[in-house]
Amino acid sequence: MYQNSYAEQLAENFNECRVRERMALEHAIQLLDTAKCEGPRSRAAIEALDFVSTLWNAFIHDLVEPGNDLPGVLRAELISVGLWIIKEAGQIRCGNSGNFDALIEVCSMIRDGLR
């Protein structure tokens, strides 16, 4: 019987995590696109902004963990991006912005970088 080595199992798990992260970002992008069409005060906007904020909070939580293997500079950059996304989502939620395009663009770039 063939057994995967520990390194192979870690690599598979890593790849599965990246797939789930891409799927979550894709879902966020779809929600943001719908919210953009329906407007910043719509139910779709509330759902999209809540989802994207929760998602990036989870990403940031993972990025600050000592066991995260990403290079420190990349982690810091992703944390900065995440904080900006959360702040921008808050600005839209408060009616100070309607910049869904920027959120969609940044989430799309991060999603594409996970391939």
Side-chain angles (χ1 to χ4, degrees):
M1 176 159 76
Y2 177 78
Q3 291 184 336
N4 288 341
S5 71
Y6 181 70
E8 288 171 330
Q9 289 177 1
L10 284 178
E12 287 176 16
N13 189 25
F14 178 81
N15 290 334
E16 289 174 18
C17 288
R18 292 298 168 255
V19 168
R20 286 192 302 270
E21 289 167 351
R22 279 194 304 273
M23 289 172 48
L25 284 165
E26 185 62 38
H27 183 64
I29 293 162
Q30 291 170 352
L31 291 172
L32 289 166
D33 195 42
T34 300
K36 175 184 163 186
C37 293
E38 294 187 18
R41 294 287 187 221
S42 67
R43 178 82 178 131
I46 294 167
E47 181 181 356
L49 296 171
D50 285 347
F51 183 84
V52 79
S53 294
T54 300
L55 177 63
W56 278 95
N57 273 309
F59 285 161
I60 291 169
H61 179 76
D62 182 60
L63 289 164
V64 300
E65 287 294 316
N68 189 302
D69 290 336
L70 289 177
V73 172
L74 178 58
R75 287 171 47 186
E77 289 172 353
L78 288 170
I79 290 167
S80 179
V81 167
L83 292 173
W84 177 84
I85 288 174
I86 292 166
K87 180 181 175 188
E88 189 62 28
Q91 291 294 315
I92 296 170
R93 194 178 286 117
C94 292
N96 297 327
S97 175
N99 197 4
F100 287 102
D101 286 329
L103 293 176
I104 293 167
E105 183 178 347
V106 172
C107 286
S108 295
M109 289 189 305
I110 300 298
R111 178 208 54 207
D112 295 345
L114 288 169
R115 293 181 191 217

Coordinates of all heavy atoms in Angstrom, one line a residue, residues 9-81:
Q9 N 1.7 15.1 2.1 CA 0.4 15.4 2.7 C 0.3 16.9 3.0 O -0.8 17.5 2.8 CB 0.2 14.6 4.0 CG 0.0 13.1 3.8 CD -0.1 12.3 5.0 OE1 0.0 12.9 6.1 NE2 -0.3 11.0 4.9
L10 N 1.4 17.5 3.5 CA 1.3 19.0 3.7 C 1.1 19.7 2.5 O 0.4 20.7 2.4 CB 2.6 19.4 4.4 CG 2.8 19.1 5.9 CD1 4.2 19.6 6.4 CD2 1.7 19.7 6.7
A11 N 1.8 19.3 1.4 CA 1.6 20.0 0.1 C 0.2 19.9 -0.4 O -0.4 20.8 -0.9 CB 2.6 19.4 -0.9
E12 N -0.4 18.7 -0.3 CA -1.8 18.5 -0.7 C -2.7 19.4 0.2 O -3.6 20.0 -0.4 CB -2.2 17.0 -0.5 CG -1.6 16.1 -1.6 CD -1.9 14.7 -1.4 OE1 -2.9 14.4 -0.6 OE2 -1.3 13.9 -2.0
N13 N -2.5 19.4 1.5 CA -3.3 20.3 2.3 C -3.2 21.7 2.0 O -4.1 22.5 2.0 CB -3.0 20.0 3.8 CG -3.9 20.7 4.8 OD1 -5.1 20.9 4.4 ND2 -3.4 21.0 5.9
F14 N -1.9 22.1 1.7 CA -1.7 23.5 1.3 C -2.4 23.9 0.0 O -3.1 24.9 -0.1 CB -0.2 23.7 1.1 CG 0.2 25.1 0.6 CD1 0.4 26.1 1.5 CD2 0.5 25.3 -0.8 CE1 0.7 27.4 1.1 CE2 0.8 26.6 -1.2 CZ 0.9 27.6 -0.3
N15 N -2.4 23.0 -1.0 CA -3.1 23.2 -2.2 C -4.6 23.3 -2.0 O -5.3 24.1 -2.6 CB -2.8 22.1 -3.2 CG -1.4 22.2 -3.7 OD1 -0.8 23.3 -3.7 ND2 -0.8 21.1 -4.2
E16 N -5.2 22.4 -1.1 CA -6.6 22.4 -0.8 C -7.0 23.7 -0.1 O -8.0 24.3 -0.4 CB -6.9 21.3 0.1 CG -6.9 19.9 -0.6 CD -7.1 18.8 0.4 OE1 -7.6 19.0 1.5 OE2 -6.8 17.6 0.0
C17 N -6.1 24.2 0.7 CA -6.4 25.5 1.4 C -6.4 26.6 0.4 O -7.3 27.5 0.4 CB -5.3 25.8 2.4 SG -5.4 24.8 3.9
R18 N -5.5 26.6 -0.6 CA -5.4 27.7 -1.6 C -6.7 27.6 -2.5 O -7.3 28.7 -2.9 CB -4.2 27.6 -2.5 CG -2.9 27.9 -1.8 CD -2.9 29.3 -1.3 NE -1.8 29.6 -0.3 CZ -2.0 29.7 1.0 NH1 -3.1 29.6 1.5 NH2 -0.9 29.9 1.8
V19 N -7.2 26.4 -2.8 CA -8.4 26.3 -3.6 C -9.6 26.9 -2.8 O -10.4 27.6 -3.3 CB -8.7 24.8 -3.9 CG1 -10.1 24.6 -4.5 CG2 -7.6 24.3 -4.9
R20 N -9.7 26.6 -1.5 CA -10.8 27.1 -0.7 C -10.7 28.6 -0.6 O -11.7 29.3 -0.6 CB -10.8 26.5 0.7 CG -11.3 25.1 0.7 CD -11.6 24.5 2.1 NE -10.4 24.6 3.0 CZ -9.5 23.6 3.1 NH1 -9.7 22.5 2.4 NH2 -8.5 23.7 4.0
E21 N -9.4 29.2 -0.4 CA -9.3 30.6 -0.4 C -9.7 31.3 -1.7 O -10.4 32.3 -1.7 CB -7.8 31.0 -0.1 CG -7.4 30.6 1.3 CD -5.9 30.7 1.6 OE1 -5.1 30.8 0.6 OE2 -5.5 30.6 2.8
R22 N -9.3 30.7 -2.8 CA -9.8 31.2 -4.1 C -11.3 31.2 -4.3 O -11.9 32.1 -4.7 CB -9.1 30.4 -5.3 CG -7.7 30.8 -5.6 CD -7.2 30.2 -6.9 NE -7.4 28.8 -7.1 CZ -6.4 27.9 -6.7 NH1 -5.3 28.3 -6.2 NH2 -6.6 26.6 -6.9
M23 N -11.9 30.1 -3.8 CA -13.3 30.0 -3.9 C -14.0 31.0 -3.0 O -15.0 31.6 -3.4 CB -13.8 28.6 -3.5 CG -13.4 27.5 -4.5 SD -13.7 25.8 -3.9 CE -15.3 25.8 -3.3
A24 N -13.5 31.3 -1.8 CA -14.0 32.3 -0.9 C -13.9 33.7 -1.5 O -14.8 34.5 -1.5 CB -13.3 32.2 0.4
L25 N -12.7 34.0 -2.1 CA -12.6 35.3 -2.8 C -13.5 35.4 -4.0 O -14.0 36.5 -4.3 CB -11.1 35.5 -3.2 CG -10.2 35.8 -2.0 CD1 -8.7 35.6 -2.4 CD2 -10.4 37.2 -1.6
E26 N -13.7 34.3 -4.7 CA -14.6 34.3 -5.9 C -16.0 34.6 -5.4 O -16.7 35.4 -6.1 CB -14.5 33.0 -6.7 CG -15.3 33.0 -7.9 CD -14.9 34.0 -8.9 OE1 -13.7 34.3 -9.1 OE2 -15.8 34.7 -9.6
H27 N -16.4 34.0 -4.3 CA -17.7 34.3 -3.8 C -17.8 35.8 -3.4 O -18.8 36.4 -3.6 CB -18.0 33.3 -2.6 CG -19.4 33.5 -2.0 ND1 -20.5 33.2 -2.7 CD2 -19.8 33.9 -0.8 CE1 -21.6 33.4 -2.0 NE2 -21.1 33.9 -0.8
A28 N -16.8 36.3 -2.7 CA -16.8 37.7 -2.3 C -16.9 38.6 -3.5 O -17.7 39.6 -3.5 CB -15.5 38.0 -1.5
I29 N -16.2 38.3 -4.6 CA -16.3 39.1 -5.8 C -17.7 39.1 -6.4 O -18.2 40.1 -6.8 CB -15.2 38.6 -6.8 CG1 -13.8 38.9 -6.2 CG2 -15.4 39.2 -8.2 CD1 -12.7 38.1 -6.9
Q30 N -18.3 37.9 -6.4 CA -19.7 37.8 -7.0 C -20.6 38.6 -6.1 O -21.5 39.3 -6.7 CB -20.1 36.3 -7.0 CG -19.4 35.5 -8.0 CD -19.6 34.0 -7.9 OE1 -20.2 33.6 -7.0 NE2 -19.1 33.3 -8.9
L31 N -20.5 38.5 -4.8 CA -21.4 39.3 -3.9 C -21.2 40.8 -4.1 O -22.1 41.6 -4.2 CB -21.1 38.9 -2.4 CG -21.6 37.5 -2.0 CD1 -21.1 37.3 -0.6 CD2 -23.1 37.4 -2.1
L32 N -19.9 41.2 -4.2 CA -19.6 42.6 -4.4 C -20.1 43.1 -5.8 O -20.6 44.3 -5.9 CB -18.1 42.9 -4.3 CG -17.5 42.7 -2.9 CD1 -16.0 42.7 -3.0 CD2 -17.9 43.9 -2.0
D33 N -20.0 42.3 -6.8 CA -20.5 42.7 -8.1 C -22.0 42.9 -8.1 O -22.6 43.8 -8.6 CB -20.1 41.6 -9.1 CG -20.3 42.1 -10.5 OD1 -19.9 43.3 -10.8 OD2 -20.8 41.3 -11.4
T34 N -22.8 42.0 -7.4 CA -24.2 42.1 -7.2 C -24.5 43.4 -6.4 O -25.4 44.2 -6.8 CB -24.8 40.9 -6.5 OG1 -24.5 39.7 -7.3 CG2 -26.3 41.0 -6.3
A35 N -23.8 43.6 -5.4 CA -24.0 44.8 -4.5 C -23.7 46.1 -5.3 O -24.5 47.1 -5.2 CB -23.1 44.8 -3.3
K36 N -22.7 46.1 -6.2 CA -22.4 47.2 -7.0 C -23.6 47.6 -7.9 O -24.0 48.7 -8.0 CB -21.2 46.9 -7.9 CG -20.9 48.0 -8.9 CD -19.7 47.6 -9.7 CE -19.6 48.4 -11.0 NZ -18.6 47.9 -11.9
C37 N -24.3 46.5 -8.5 CA -25.4 46.7 -9.3 C -26.7 47.2 -8.6 O -27.4 48.0 -9.1 CB -25.8 45.4 -10.1 SG -24.5 44.9 -11.3
E38 N -26.8 46.7 -7.3 CA -28.0 47.0 -6.6 C -27.9 48.3 -5.7 O -28.8 48.8 -5.2 CB -28.4 45.8 -5.7 CG -28.9 44.7 -6.6 CD -29.4 43.5 -5.8 OE1 -29.8 43.7 -4.6 OE2 -29.5 42.4 -6.3
G39 N -26.6 48.7 -5.5 CA -26.4 50.0 -4.8 C -25.9 49.8 -3.3 O -26.1 48.7 -2.7
P40 N -25.2 50.8 -2.8 CA -24.6 50.7 -1.5 C -25.5 50.5 -0.3 O -25.1 50.1 0.8 CB -23.7 51.9 -1.4 CG -24.3 52.9 -2.4 CD -24.9 52.1 -3.5
R41 N -26.8 50.8 -0.5 CA -27.8 50.7 0.6 C -28.7 49.5 0.5 O -29.6 49.3 1.2 CB -28.6 52.0 0.6 CG -27.9 53.2 1.0 CD -27.6 53.1 2.5 NE -27.0 54.4 3.0 CZ -26.1 54.4 3.9 NH1 -25.5 53.3 4.3 NH2 -25.6 55.5 4.3
S42 N -28.3 48.6 -0.5 CA -29.2 47.5 -0.7 C -28.8 46.3 0.2 O -27.8 46.3 0.9 CB -28.9 47.0 -2.2 OG -27.6 46.5 -2.3
R43 N -29.7 45.4 0.3 CA -29.5 44.2 1.1 C -28.3 43.4 0.6 O -27.5 42.9 1.4 CB -30.8 43.3 1.0 CG -30.6 42.0 1.8 CD -30.9 42.2 3.3 NE -30.8 41.0 4.0 CZ -30.1 40.8 5.0 NH1 -29.4 41.8 5.6 NH2 -30.1 39.6 5.6
A44 N -28.1 43.4 -0.7 CA -27.0 42.7 -1.3 C -25.7 43.4 -0.9 O -24.7 42.7 -0.6 CB -27.1 42.8 -2.9
A45 N -25.7 44.7 -0.7 CA -24.5 45.4 -0.2 C -24.1 45.0 1.2 O -23.0 44.8 1.5 CB -24.6 46.9 -0.4
I46 N -25.2 45.0 2.0 CA -24.9 44.6 3.4 C -24.3 43.2 3.5 O -23.3 42.9 4.2 CB -26.3 44.6 4.2 CG1 -26.7 46.1 4.3 CG2 -26.1 44.0 5.6 CD1 -28.2 46.2 4.8
E47 N -24.9 42.2 2.7 CA -24.4 40.9 2.7 C -23.0 40.8 2.2 O -22.1 40.2 2.8 CB -25.3 40.0 1.8 CG -24.9 38.6 1.8 CD -25.7 37.7 0.9 OE1 -26.8 38.2 0.3 OE2 -25.4 36.5 0.7
A48 N -22.7 41.5 1.1 CA -21.3 41.5 0.5 C -20.3 42.1 1.4 O -19.2 41.6 1.6 CB -21.4 42.3 -0.8
L49 N -20.6 43.2 2.0 CA -19.7 43.9 2.9 C -19.4 43.1 4.1 O -18.3 43.1 4.6 CB -20.2 45.3 3.2 CG -20.3 46.2 2.0 CD1 -21.0 47.5 2.3 CD2 -18.9 46.5 1.3
D50 N -20.5 42.5 4.7 CA -20.3 41.6 5.9 C -19.4 40.4 5.5 O -18.5 40.1 6.2 CB -21.6 41.2 6.4 CG -22.3 42.2 7.2 OD1 -21.7 43.3 7.5 OD2 -23.5 42.0 7.5
F51 N -19.6 39.8 4.4 CA -18.9 38.7 4.0 C -17.4 39.0 3.7 O -16.5 38.3 4.2 CB -19.5 38.0 2.7 CG -18.7 36.8 2.3 CD1 -19.0 35.5 2.9 CD2 -17.7 36.8 1.3 CE1 -18.3 34.4 2.5 CE2 -17.0 35.7 1.0 CZ -17.3 34.5 1.6
V52 N -17.2 40.1 3.0 CA -15.8 40.5 2.6 C -15.0 40.9 3.9 O -13.8 40.5 4.1 CB -15.7 41.5 1.5 CG1 -16.0 42.9 2.0 CG2 -14.4 41.5 0.8
S53 N -15.7 41.5 4.8 CA -15.0 41.9 6.1 C -14.7 40.7 6.9 O -13.6 40.6 7.5 CB -15.9 42.9 6.9 OG -16.0 44.1 6.2
T54 N -15.6 39.8 7.0 CA -15.4 38.6 7.8 C -14.3 37.7 7.2 O -13.4 37.2 7.9 CB -16.7 37.7 7.9 OG1 -17.7 38.5 8.5 CG2 -16.5 36.4 8.7
L55 N -14.3 37.6 5.8 CA -13.3 36.9 5.1 C -11.9 37.4 5.4 O -10.9 36.7 5.7 CB -13.6 36.8 3.6 CG -12.6 36.1 2.7 CD1 -12.5 34.7 3.1 CD2 -13.0 36.4 1.3
W56 N -11.8 38.8 5.2 CA -10.4 39.4 5.4 C -10.0 39.4 6.9 O -8.8 39.3 7.2 CB -10.4 40.7 4.8 CG -10.1 40.6 3.3 CD1 -11.0 40.5 2.3 CD2 -8.8 40.3 2.7 NE1 -10.4 40.2 1.1 CE2 -9.0 40.1 1.3 CE3 -7.5 40.2 3.2 CZ2 -8.0 39.9 0.4 CZ3 -6.5 39.9 2.3 CH2 -6.7 39.8 0.9
N57 N -10.9 39.4 7.8 CA -10.6 39.2 9.2 C -10.0 37.9 9.4 O -9.0 37.7 10.1 CB -11.8 39.5 10.1 CG -11.9 40.9 10.5 OD1 -11.0 41.6 10.9 ND2 -13.1 41.5 10.3
A58 N -10.6 36.8 8.8 CA -10.1 35.5 8.9 C -8.7 35.4 8.3 O -7.8 34.7 8.9 CB -11.0 34.5 8.3
F59 N -8.5 36.0 7.1 CA -7.2 35.9 6.4 C -6.1 36.6 7.3 O -5.0 36.1 7.5 CB -7.2 36.7 5.1 CG -7.9 35.9 4.0 CD1 -8.4 36.6 2.9 CD2 -8.1 34.5 4.0 CE1 -9.0 35.9 1.8 CE2 -8.7 33.8 3.0 CZ -9.1 34.5 1.9
I60 N -6.5 37.8 7.9 CA -5.5 38.5 8.7 C -5.2 37.7 9.9 O -4.0 37.6 10.3 CB -6.1 39.9 9.1 CG1 -6.1 40.8 7.8 CG2 -5.2 40.5 10.2 CD1 -6.8 42.1 8.0
H61 N -6.2 37.1 10.6 CA -5.9 36.2 11.7 C -4.9 35.1 11.4 O -4.0 34.8 12.2 CB -7.3 35.6 12.2 CG -7.1 34.7 13.4 ND1 -6.8 35.2 14.7 CD2 -7.1 33.4 13.5 CE1 -6.7 34.2 15.5 NE2 -6.9 33.1 14.8
D62 N -5.1 34.5 10.2 CA -4.2 33.4 9.8 C -2.8 34.0 9.5 O -1.8 33.4 9.8 CB -4.8 32.7 8.6 CG -3.9 31.6 8.1 OD1 -3.7 30.7 8.9 OD2 -3.4 31.6 7.0
L63 N -2.7 35.2 8.9 CA -1.5 35.7 8.5 C -0.6 36.1 9.7 O 0.6 36.1 9.7 CB -1.7 37.0 7.6 CG -2.2 36.7 6.2 CD1 -2.7 37.9 5.6 CD2 -1.0 36.1 5.4
V64 N -1.2 36.5 10.8 CA -0.5 36.9 12.0 C 0.0 35.7 12.9 O 0.7 35.9 13.8 CB -1.2 37.9 12.9 CG1 -1.5 39.2 12.1 CG2 -2.5 37.4 13.5
E65 N -0.5 34.5 12.6 CA -0.2 33.3 13.3 C 1.3 33.0 13.2 O 1.8 33.1 12.0 CB -1.0 32.1 12.9 CG -2.4 32.1 13.3 CD -2.6 32.0 14.8 OE1 -1.9 31.2 15.4 OE2 -3.4 32.8 15.4
P66 N 2.0 32.7 14.2 CA 3.5 32.4 14.1 C 3.8 31.2 13.2 O 4.8 31.2 12.6 CB 3.9 32.1 15.6 CG 2.8 32.5 16.4 CD 1.5 32.6 15.6
G67 N 2.9 30.3 13.0 CA 3.1 29.1 12.2 C 2.9 29.4 10.7 O 3.1 28.5 9.9
N68 N 2.4 30.6 10.4 CA 2.2 30.9 8.9 C 3.6 30.9 8.2 O 4.5 31.6 8.6 CB 1.5 32.2 8.8 CG 1.1 32.5 7.4 OD1 1.8 32.5 6.5 ND2 -0.2 32.7 7.2
D69 N 3.7 30.1 7.1 CA 4.9 29.9 6.4 C 5.2 30.9 5.3 O 6.3 30.9 4.7 CB 5.0 28.5 5.9 CG 5.1 27.4 6.9 OD1 5.6 27.8 8.0 OD2 4.7 26.3 6.7
L70 N 4.3 31.8 5.1 CA 4.6 32.8 4.0 C 5.7 33.7 4.5 O 5.9 34.0 5.7 CB 3.3 33.7 3.8 CG 2.1 33.0 3.1 CD1 1.0 34.0 3.0 CD2 2.6 32.5 1.7
P71 N 6.5 34.2 3.5 CA 7.5 35.2 3.9 C 7.0 36.4 4.6 O 5.9 36.9 4.3 CB 8.1 35.6 2.5 CG 7.7 34.5 1.6 CD 6.4 33.9 2.1
G72 N 7.7 36.9 5.5 CA 7.3 38.0 6.4 C 6.8 39.3 5.6 O 5.8 39.9 5.9
V73 N 7.5 39.6 4.5 CA 7.2 40.8 3.7 C 5.8 40.6 3.1 O 5.0 41.5 3.1 CB 8.3 41.1 2.7 CG1 7.8 42.2 1.7 CG2 9.6 41.5 3.4
L74 N 5.6 39.4 2.5 CA 4.3 39.1 1.8 C 3.2 39.1 2.9 O 2.1 39.6 2.6 CB 4.4 37.7 1.1 CG 3.1 37.3 0.4 CD1 2.7 38.3 -0.6 CD2 3.4 35.9 -0.2
R75 N 3.4 38.5 4.0 CA 2.4 38.5 5.1 C 2.1 40.0 5.4 O 0.9 40.3 5.5 CB 2.9 37.8 6.3 CG 3.0 36.3 6.1 CD 3.7 35.5 7.2 NE 3.3 35.9 8.5 CZ 3.8 35.4 9.6 NH1 4.8 34.6 9.5 NH2 3.4 35.8 10.8
A76 N 3.1 40.8 5.6 CA 2.8 42.2 6.0 C 2.0 42.9 4.9 O 1.1 43.7 5.2 CB 4.1 42.9 6.2
E77 N 2.4 42.7 3.6 CA 1.6 43.3 2.5 C 0.2 42.8 2.5 O -0.7 43.6 2.3 CB 2.3 43.0 1.2 CG 3.7 43.8 1.1 CD 4.5 43.3 -0.1 OE1 4.1 42.4 -0.8 OE2 5.5 44.0 -0.4
L78 N 0.0 41.5 2.7 CA -1.4 41.0 2.6 C -2.2 41.5 3.8 O -3.4 41.8 3.7 CB -1.4 39.5 2.6 CG -1.0 38.9 1.3 CD1 -0.7 37.4 1.5 CD2 -2.0 39.1 0.2
I79 N -1.6 41.7 5.0 CA -2.3 42.3 6.1 C -2.7 43.7 5.8 O -3.8 44.1 6.1 CB -1.4 42.2 7.4 CG1 -1.3 40.7 7.8 CG2 -2.0 43.0 8.5 CD1 -0.2 40.5 8.9
S80 N -1.8 44.4 5.2 CA -2.1 45.8 4.8 C -3.2 45.9 3.9 O -4.1 46.7 4.0 CB -0.8 46.5 4.2 OG -1.1 47.8 3.9
V81 N -3.2 45.0 2.9 CA -4.3 45.0 1.9 C -5.6 44.6 2.6 O -6.7 45.3 2.4 CB -4.0 43.9 0.8 CG1 -5.3 43.6 0.0 CG2 -2.9 44.4 -0.1

